[in-house]
Amino acid sequence: LRSSWDDPNAAHVAITSGYDMHQGHNHQDENAVAFYALGEDFLTDPGYWPDSSSSHTTLRINGAEQQVGSVGRIVDYREDTSGAFVRAQAPEAYPLVPNFIGHAERKIYFVRDPQPYLVWRDDVGIESKRPLNEVVSRYVTRIGNTITTRADGAVIHGENGRGSALLLAFAEEEPVAVREDDLEGLSYLANAQKEIVYTDHLKRLSATTVAHSPRLVTVVLPFRDEAELPTVDVDYEEASDKSTVRLSFPDGRTDVIHFDATNAEFSRSR
């Protein structure tokens, strides 16, 4: 998904969810998202290594990562005048033990103009006797970017000095703290011979929610000047399973994105 096909520096979004026929390049990264804007990689795929779920912008569910040979699927895609919508599912990407995950869906909406930004909602359903389930959303960024945390989220500062991005997370309608993960000492042995050290490849942030059937909204807002940023409010209606994300910009523009169980709809007013 791109904000323009004529501008080489246009914002673009990628989402991965599918089936690798030969499994040789399966990175356990179903429903993973990458986002480039303002000449900066804010959310990125680290490349060939590391090739694990924990090194991608994915979910950890009750401590479980996606398994080797994970699969997912894109079930809906739509282009609008203002942006694009993608719906992806990957419940089979996770092992049956310790969870039986009946639902793992990510719905993204990419707004193209005037300043591109990205919003998505993760829906998780777990068939278990647990009254509460922990979902950790990880956000992977380039090793050269710098991160500052604040009360309402975190800011990723691009390594090229061209722009930054505000990252916000909400559990249903409550703000969730976004923190930089300490990856020091985290490594694994790839192909039984090559040690992959995470800090050589990426930086990572995370947001955690605990609920029976978690609904986690993420908003990524690129900017050059913080004065351009909107205020963001999220409302959640449990009966209809609808999230309403409202972004009020300093220029008087208000964007509203409605997420429900299967769709996302965008509207704009002044």
Side-chain angles (χ1 to χ4, degrees):
L1 311 174
R2 293 182 63 92
S3 60
S4 169
W5 291 99
D6 302 320
D7 180 2
N9 291 315
H12 59 260
V13 176
I15 181 168
T16 299
S17 197
Y19 176 73
D20 296 319
M21 293 295 292
H22 53 76
Q23 296 296 320
H25 292 283
N26 185 284
H27 282 198
Q28 304 105 65
D29 59 349
E30 308 309 323
N31 293 0
V33 170
F35 184 32
Y36 172 95
L38 301 178
E40 304 285 359
D41 275 312
F42 294 119
L43 300 176
T44 190
D45 187 300
Y48 194 85
W49 304 114
D51 62 347
S52 61
S53 177
S54 61
S55 60
H56 293 81
T57 300
T58 57
L59 302 178
R60 186 179 74 221
I61 302 175
N62 284 338
E65 302 286 358
Q66 294 183 20
Q67 59 193 336
V68 175
S70 61
V71 297
R73 55 191 173 271
I74 302 292
V75 296
D76 198 1
Y77 163 73
R78 185 184 70 248
E79 291 281 346
D80 295 337
T81 56
S82 299
F85 165 71
V86 181
R87 179 185 175 205
Q89 297 175 340
E92 300 90 349
Y94 294 87
L96 293 178
V97 179
N99 311 292
F100 185 81
I101 297 172
H103 193 57
E105 179 170 287
R106 177 165 285 179
K107 291 178 280 285
I108 72 170
Y109 196 90
F110 172 47
V111 179
R112 289 195 170 96
D113 60 70
Q115 172 56 57
Y117 65 88
L118 181 63
V119 184
W120 72 80
R121 191 178 91 166
D122 287 302
D123 299 357
V124 178
I126 302 168
E127 298 180 29
S128 75
K129 295 181 180 180
R130 298 185 186 206
L132 297 173
N133 297 285
E134 181 191 73
V135 171
V136 181
S137 183
R138 281 80 56 90
Y139 310 97
V140 171
T141 192
R142 286 182 61 84
I143 191 172
N145 293 346
T146 57
I147 297 167
T148 57
T149 57
R150 44 194 258 182
D152 61 343
V155 177
I156 301 171
H157 305 276
E159 62 184 331
N160 300 316
R162 298 176 181 173
S164 303
L166 175 62
L167 175 61
L168 306 174
F170 299 83
E172 296 187 350
E173 59 187 23
E174 295 300 321
V176 178
V178 180
R179 297 290 180 258
E180 182 175 4
D181 293 340
D182 182 5
L183 303 180
E184 194 66 37
L186 184 61
S187 67
Y188 70 100
L189 200 61
N191 297 334
Q193 58 185 355
K194 181 180 177 66
E195 184 181 19
I196 305 300
V197 179
Y198 274 49
T199 51
D200 291 342
H201 298 272
L202 59 94
K203 291 180 178 178
R204 193 181 71 191
L205 304 96
S206 64
T208 301
T209 182
V210 177
H212 177 68
S213 299
R215 300 290 185 264
L216 187 66
V217 171
T218 297
V219 182
V220 188
L221 294 158
F223 66 91
R224 288 194 175 95
D225 182 350
E226 284 202 51
E228 304 167 355
L229 288 170
T231 58
V232 180
D233 297 293
V234 177
D235 295 318
Y236 179 71
E237 296 176 2
E238 185 175 3
S240 59
D241 193 20
K242 179 182 285 187
S243 299
T244 300
V245 184
R246 182 172 289 101
L247 301 96
S248 302
F249 290 85
D251 64 1
R253 169 172 44 104
T254 299
D255 290 355
V256 178
I257 305 169
H258 295 287
F259 290 95
D260 60 26
T262 62
N263 197 17
E265 296 286 348
F266 175 87
S267 65
R268 174 172 290 166
S269 63
R270 286 187 180 272

